[in-house]
């Protein structure tokens, strides 16, 4: 039996970074992990996709044979990147205050957890088990599924480049994968039930991105409800035309979201309540059982790797009785399509109801010197303020274009300190940079 201050179930970004933070604060930590360290983000998500997206840009030559070879090399490099980072995490977790247990964790009761072959008696528990691929219960998709149907996990390890790809779902995962396969030369169709892609992104930005992706060769089928998959055929209802249509594809990627990973934890044995959206938590990420916390995708609040890390830090601070000023209402996010989109704060759709006198301020890549120099003139920066006065507070920023994530990160930092549009104007920016587009927008 192992007694410890803190048990963390899961070693994704939320899990391992929280463990390091807790250990540095003097806690004795045990991590239980049944798969590889690094979780979905490192092994089957964020990092592999960004590696492939990077190599896909270099491969966009139009020569199918060259692209197929480039895809093979990209897959090999992706594995090297993941292995290198995984080893780095393992090295970090060799901290003497941290014990890594390999095995599945199950609650015996609120104070006892079985982890692999060990029994752990922790003072506190943080559940950081992440999420899993969510598959709609449709014929040909649910088990037994068609051999042409893939999840994002499957495609990140596929050895060959498919000539045609049909993506079901126009969310973050769907559009990043669509971008990657398009750049490798595949014919790509995207089928989406809603009338626009990226429903959580500002509507104007989502619309502009979709039109740009269409120009690049990706074909969108919006307001279309998938009925079934029959072999290599996606059958769907066009809800606008009220017609049944189909797409034949070599590869059908189901990218309809992710679901919290709670199976097998025996949460009921500990009295932890959860529903289809995840484990129920309060503002400090405490579950319905004192001293047990749930962070990251498993609580379903903000399904982002950096959200999990911040939530874990906050949970540890609560355990130690420390205060912090982490603003969970200001959560930047990015989609690494080509071009990128990124956002922080409220969308214009949400601002309308909360701030009737709101204003929007836009700057365009085409009038920026750096954008012209690097041939990245497609895009805009959109800043939203809560009023018409120069001292109005910035409540949202949405960007489509090169380095969108970095530009939004600057605004996220400012929003954490309630910076106004006028104060942004007074911040000197390096020239020439794409971030100067923020000043252009703030001056309009």
């Amino acid at each position: 039996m192992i007694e410890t201050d803190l048990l963390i179930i899961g070693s994704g970004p939320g899990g391992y970074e929280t463990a390091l933070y807790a250990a540095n604060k003097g806690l004795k930590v045990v991590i239980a992990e049944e798969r590889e360290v690094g979780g979905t983000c490192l092994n089957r998500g964020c990092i592999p996709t960004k590696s492939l997206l990077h190599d896909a840009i270099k491969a966009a030559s139009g020569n199918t044979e060259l692209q197929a070879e480039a895809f093979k090399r990209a897959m090999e490099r992706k594995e090297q990147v993941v292995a290198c980072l995984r080893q780095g995490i393992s090295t970090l977790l060799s901290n003497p205050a941290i014990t890594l247990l390999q095995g599945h964790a199950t609650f015996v009761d609120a104070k006892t957890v079985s982890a692999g072959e060990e029994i752990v008696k922790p003072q506190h528990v943080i559940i950081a088990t992440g999420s899993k691929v969510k598959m709609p219960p449709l014929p040909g998709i649910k088990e037994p599924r068609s051999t042409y149907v893939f999840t994002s996990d499957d495609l990140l390890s596929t050895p060959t480049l498919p000539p045609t790809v049909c993506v079901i779902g126009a969310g973050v995962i769907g559009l990043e994968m669509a971008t990657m396969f398009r750049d490798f030369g595949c014919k790509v169709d995207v089928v989406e039930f809603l009338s626009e892609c990226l429903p959580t992104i500002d509507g104007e930005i989502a619309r502009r991105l979709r039109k740009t992706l269409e120009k690049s060769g990706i074909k969108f089928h919006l307001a279309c409800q998938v009925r079934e998959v029959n072999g290599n055929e996606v059958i769907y209802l066009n809800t606008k035309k009220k017609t049944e249509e189909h797409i034949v594809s070599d590869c059908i990627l189901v990218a309809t979201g992710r679901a919290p990973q709670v199976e097998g934890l025996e949460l009921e044995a500990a009295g932890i309540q959860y529903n289809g959206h995840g484990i129920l938590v309060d503002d400090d990420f405490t579950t319905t059982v004192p001293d047990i916390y749930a962070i990251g995708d498993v609580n379903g609040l903000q399904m982002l790797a950096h959200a999990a890390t911040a939530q874990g830090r906050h949970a540890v601070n609560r355990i130690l009785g420390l205060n912090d000023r982490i603003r969970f209402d200001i959560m930047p996010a990015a989609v690494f399509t080509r071009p990128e989109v990124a956002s922080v704060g409220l969308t214009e759709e949400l601002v309308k109801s909360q701030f009737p006198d709101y204003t929007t301020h836009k700057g365009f890549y085409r009038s920026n010197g750096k954008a012209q120099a690097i041939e990245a003139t497609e895009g805009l920066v959109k800043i939203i303020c809560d009023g018409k006065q120069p001292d109005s507070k910035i409540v949202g920023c949405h960007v489509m274009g090169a380095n969108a994530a970095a530009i939004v990160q600057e605004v996220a930092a400012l929003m954490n300190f309630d910076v106004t549009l006028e104060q942004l104007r007074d911040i000197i920016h390096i020239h020439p940079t794409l971030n100067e587009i923020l000043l252009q927008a703030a001056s309009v």
Side-chain angles (χ1 to χ4, degrees):
M1 185 179 70
I2 300 175
E3 294 185 354
T4 187
D5 298 321
L6 174 62
L7 168 65
I8 301 175
I9 305 175
S11 69
Y16 81 80
E17 293 202 35
T18 299
L20 293 169
Y21 179 68
N24 288 336
K25 289 294 183 181
L27 294 180
K28 184 180 177 183
V29 183
V30 172
I31 300 180
E33 173 57 63
E34 64 178 341
R35 300 181 71 175
E36 315 95 333
V37 294
T40 296
C41 179
L42 171 57
N43 297 288
R44 297 170 295 281
C46 317
I47 302 304
T49 54
K50 304 313 166 285
S51 176
L52 292 172
L53 281 162
H54 172 74
D55 287 349
I57 294 172
K58 297 187 293 183
S61 64
N63 185 310
T64 304
E65 290 184 7
L66 289 177
Q67 287 165 330
E69 182 60 31
F71 181 75
K72 180 181 177 181
R73 290 197 303 271
M75 281 291 180
E76 293 170 351
R77 193 181 77 85
K78 178 261 297 181
E79 289 298 321
Q80 294 169 0
V81 170
V82 170
C84 178
L85 292 172
R86 191 187 296 144
Q87 180 57 49
I89 294 171
S90 296
T91 301
L92 289 172
L93 294 180
S94 63
N95 186 311
I98 300 173
T99 300
L100 177 62
L101 298 180
Q102 197 71 42
H104 181 73
T106 303
F107 281 94
V108 177
D109 56 45
K111 292 294 183 180
T112 311
V113 176
S114 170
E117 298 180 355
E118 299 284 352
I119 296 296
V120 184
K121 287 280 191 179
Q123 294 297 313
H124 307 273
V125 179
I126 295 179
I127 304 169
T129 48
S131 60
K132 61 180 181 178
V133 173
K134 182 167 62 177
M135 301 289 277
L138 297 174
I141 295 178
K142 67 179 181 180
E143 299 297 342
R145 67 186 186 189
S146 166
T147 55
Y148 292 90
V149 169
F150 296 83
T151 67
S152 56
D153 290 359
D154 299 328
L155 283 189
L156 287 173
S157 59
T158 186
T160 56
L161 183 67
T164 60
V165 177
C166 178
V167 180
I168 301 175
V172 175
I173 297 172
L175 291 194
E176 287 189 352
M177 297 292 274
T179 299
M180 184 263 288
F181 280 108
R182 175 211 61 195
D183 283 351
F184 273 117
C186 305
K187 177 182 178 295
V188 179
D189 289 87
V190 177
V191 181
E192 169 57 48
F193 174 71
L194 299 176
S195 57
E196 191 52 90
C197 67
L198 296 176
T200 61
I201 295 291
D202 183 85
E204 179 182 9
I205 297 295
R207 184 168 56 255
R208 284 176 176 269
L209 174 67
R210 190 245 310 159
K211 290 181 178 179
T212 300
L213 294 178
E214 285 177 332
K215 290 178 183 176
S216 73
I218 297 174
K219 186 173 182 179
F220 283 83
H221 308 265
L222 301 174
C224 293
Q225 181 181 11
V226 175
R227 292 287 186 80
E228 66 174 301
V229 172
N230 184 8
N232 65 344
E233 184 179 36
V234 177
I235 302 168
Y236 61 91
L237 173 68
N238 187 317
T239 58
K240 289 184 178 179
K241 297 179 181 179
K242 304 298 182 185
T243 57
E244 187 172 273
E245 302 173 10
H246 71 276
I247 296 171
V248 174
S249 183
D250 300 292
C251 169
I252 300 166
L253 168 63
V254 179
T256 50
R258 298 184 66 84
Q261 182 62 267
V262 297
E263 287 78 9
L265 289 173
E266 300 296 340
L267 298 176
E268 296 86 353
I272 301 168
Q273 295 181 20
Y274 64 98
N275 57 29
H277 300 291
I279 296 175
L280 303 181
V281 295
D282 63 15
D283 291 341
D284 291 327
F285 311 106
T286 311
T287 68
T288 50
V289 177
D291 298 323
I292 300 179
Y293 301 79
I295 65 168
D297 287 10
V298 76
N299 66 33
L301 297 178
Q302 297 168 309
M303 299 181 86
L304 299 162
H306 47 280
T309 300
Q311 290 174 10
R313 187 183 186 92
H314 185 76
V316 171
N317 287 340
R318 293 287 72 77
I319 290 170
L320 296 172
L322 301 175
N323 293 320
D324 60 51
R325 294 187 293 178
I326 301 174
R327 295 278 303 270
F328 290 99
D329 60 318
I330 300 174
M331 185 62 66
V335 186
F336 295 93
T337 46
R338 191 157 62 93
E340 289 181 17
V341 296
S343 65
V344 64
L346 300 176
T347 64
E348 186 169 359
E349 291 79 9
L350 292 174
V351 167
K352 287 179 180 178
S353 60
Q354 298 185 34
F355 304 103
D357 294 328
Y358 81 95
T359 55
T360 62
H361 309 265
K362 298 177 184 177
F364 295 88
Y365 275 63
R366 62 176 176 267
S367 58
N368 174 267
K370 180 65 177 290
Q372 291 280 355
I374 64 173
E375 298 181 295
T377 56
E378 181 72 32
L380 83 156
V381 170
K382 178 179 182 179
I383 300 172
I384 306 176
C385 296
D386 62 2
K388 297 185 180 347
Q389 301 304 316
D391 60 351
S392 297
K393 188 171 69 174
I394 299 170
V395 294
C397 179
H398 311 278
V399 181
M400 183 193 86
N403 292 347
I407 294 172
V408 161
Q409 187 61 62
E410 177 184 340
V411 179
L414 298 177
M415 287 176 62
N416 270 271
F417 297 94
D418 295 322
V419 165
T420 66
L421 191 69
E422 190 171 29
Q423 288 172 318
L424 170 57
R425 290 176 186 147
D426 290 341
I427 297 174
I428 298 172
H429 284 66
I430 298 169
H431 176 77
T433 62
L434 295 176
N435 283 52
E436 288 180 288
I437 306 172
L438 285 171
L439 290 184
Q440 179 195 1
S443 301
V444 175

